[in-house]
Amino acid sequence: MSASTAAAYEVRGASPRRPAPPGGTRPGKLVAISDLHVRHAENRRIVEALRPESDQDWLLVAGDVSETVAEIEWALGVLANRFATVVWAPGNHELWTPPDDPVQLRGEQRYRHLVDLCRRLGVHTPEDPYPVWEGQGGPAVIAPLFVLYDYTFRPAGAASRRHALDMAERAGVVCTDEFLLHPDPYPSREAWCRARLEITEKRLTEVPDELPTVLVNHFPLVREPTRVLWHPEFALWCGTEATADWHRRFRAAAVVYGHLHIPRLIHQDGVPHQEVSLGYPREWRRRPARPGRPVQILPAAHAGEEAR
C-alpha cells in the first residue's frame, strides 16, 4: 500500500484536517467511544475530563452523544477542541425529537441540522468526504456510516416485521424510537434505512481498492453482537441484515459500533468488531474498567495488550 495512494484519495475526496496542536511528541492513535449520553450529569463530567494521550490522536464518536441539539453541540465542541480530528456517526438518540428540545426538527431535517452543526465545529460526518488516517496502523479510510435499522434482526419464530414487533410488545420490549425517532419525509424507518443503505454503499464502493477502511456505525453491522442481549427482542432496533458482509466487501481493518452498551471485542471473518460504549451510569458503575477511556482502534492492540 503506497503513501501516494492514500494521498491521492485525500486530494480527490477527503476534507482537510486541522493541524495537530504544537508540542505533541507521542505518536497519535485512532481511538473510539460511543453512547456518551451526556444528559446524565456523571457522564457529562466524564466528557469534561476526557483528553487525548497525544496531540495527534483522532477520536471516533459512534453515536448517542445525547438527545437535545444543545447537549450534542456542547459535547462534540469539547471533544473537537481537544482531539486532532473528531469523526461522528449518528445514533438513534441524536435522531429523537424530544418534547423538551427547543429544536423540534424531525427525521432527515434533524439529521441534516446535526450535520451542519458538526461542520461548524470541524467534526467529520457521514455526509463529508472520508478522511484518511495515516498514523500508526494506517493508511486507512475512516468511514462514518448512517444506515439505521430495518427490523430484520428478528427473534426466532417471527415470520414478519409485524409478527416480530408483536412478540417484542408481548415481552414488554418496545424501543423509545417507536415514539421519538421520526422518519420524515420517509414513510417508515425501514424506508429511511433502505435509502441510507443505497447512499452509503455507493460511497464505500468508491474507496480505492488499495485502501483498507475503518467502518464506524452506531449499530452493529452484523447480528452476532446482539446474541448476548438480555432481551433478545431488542435486536429488532439494532441493525440490518443488509450490512452483514460489509466488513469483507469494503476491506475493513476494524469495525466500530456502540448502541448495545456491552463493551467487548469480537471477530468476524478475522475482522475486529469493537463495541465502544460508555453507557448509562448504572451500567458503567458495575464494570471494573475506568469509565470513559476511549478504545484504541489503530494501531491494533496485540494479544495481552490493553486496548481500553
Side-chain angles (χ1 to χ4, degrees):
M1 181 106 33
S2 68
S4 60
T5 300
Y9 179 66
E10 283 203 289
V11 170
R12 287 198 305 273
S15 50
R17 292 171 301 191
R18 293 178 293 130
T25 56
R26 298 183 60 177
K29 295 178 180 178
L30 184 69
V31 298
I33 197 166
S34 75
D35 297 85
L36 294 170
H37 294 292
V38 299
R39 175 160 286 201
H40 295 267
E42 292 165 277
N43 286 25
R44 189 180 181 97
R45 287 194 289 272
I46 286 172
V47 171
E48 288 172 339
L50 201 162
R51 283 174 170 75
E53 295 181 357
S54 164
D55 291 336
Q56 300 176 56
D57 284 355
W58 285 26
L59 180 67
L60 312 178
V61 181
D64 276 11
V65 174
S66 197
E67 292 84 31
T68 70
V69 170
E71 289 166 345
I72 296 164
E73 181 173 18
W74 171 82
L76 290 178
V78 166
L79 299 173
N81 283 331
R82 293 176 181 171
F83 287 82
T85 294
V86 174
V87 178
W88 168 79
N92 54 314
H93 281 237
E94 283 101 335
L95 301 174
W96 287 1
T97 306
D100 62 340
D101 190 350
V103 180
Q104 284 293 294
L105 296 171
R106 294 159 59 112
E108 180 78 11
Q109 284 190 338
R110 186 175 187 86
Y111 170 61
R112 294 292 170 172
H113 182 77
L114 293 172
V115 167
D116 290 342
L117 180 157
C118 285
R119 286 172 171 167
R120 292 196 300 272
L121 297 173
V123 172
H124 294 262
T125 80
E127 304 311 307
D128 299 314
Y130 297 148
V132 177
W133 167 257
E134 295 187 83
Q136 297 183 91
V141 173
I142 310 303
L145 312 179
F146 170 38
V147 293
L148 273 173
Y149 53 83
D150 60 2
Y151 303 95
T152 51
F153 287 0
R154 296 171 185 164
S160 66
R161 168 191 175 278
R162 184 66 263 166
H163 187 194
L165 287 169
D166 288 344
M167 292 173 66
E169 187 172 358
R170 286 196 297 271
V173 178
V174 179
C175 184
T176 305
D177 291 4
E178 296 296 312
F179 310 100
L180 296 181
L181 201 166
H182 307 288
D184 312 28
Y186 297 93
S188 65
R189 282 174 284 277
E190 304 101 293
W192 197 5
C193 176
R194 285 193 295 272
R196 291 302 313 181
L197 285 166
E198 183 177 352
I199 291 167
T200 306
E201 191 168 12
K202 182 178 184 298
R203 290 200 61 198
L204 289 172
T205 60
E206 294 170 353
V207 175
D209 290 342
E210 297 84 1
L211 287 171
T213 63
V214 173
L215 303 178
V216 185
N217 194 48
H218 180 62
F219 307 97
L221 294 184
V222 296
R223 185 165 184 177
E224 186 59 31
T226 70
R227 308 289 186 193
V228 299
L229 290 171
W230 283 12
H231 299 286
E233 298 84 2
F234 188 73
L236 282 168
W237 296 275
C238 292
T240 169
E241 297 283 2
T243 59
D245 66 348
W246 281 19
H247 60 286
R248 297 193 306 273
R249 286 180 59 202
F250 301 118
R251 306 169 307 284
V255 173
V256 175
Y257 69 99
H259 189 57
L260 304 184
H261 295 199
I262 307 174
R264 65 175 184 147
L265 171 66
I266 68 167
H267 288 79
Q268 290 283 105
D269 304 304
V271 177
H273 292 237
Q274 186 83 57
E275 209 276 12
V276 297
S277 61
L278 171 61
Y280 301 126
R282 68 176 183 271
E283 296 166 329
W284 55 254
R285 285 195 206 103
R286 299 195 297 261
R287 302 174 193 147
R290 174 166 62 88
R293 183 179 176 188
V295 177
Q296 180 177 321
I297 306 301
L298 291 179
H302 299 294
E305 184 179 325
E306 187 181 18
R308 191 174 186 101

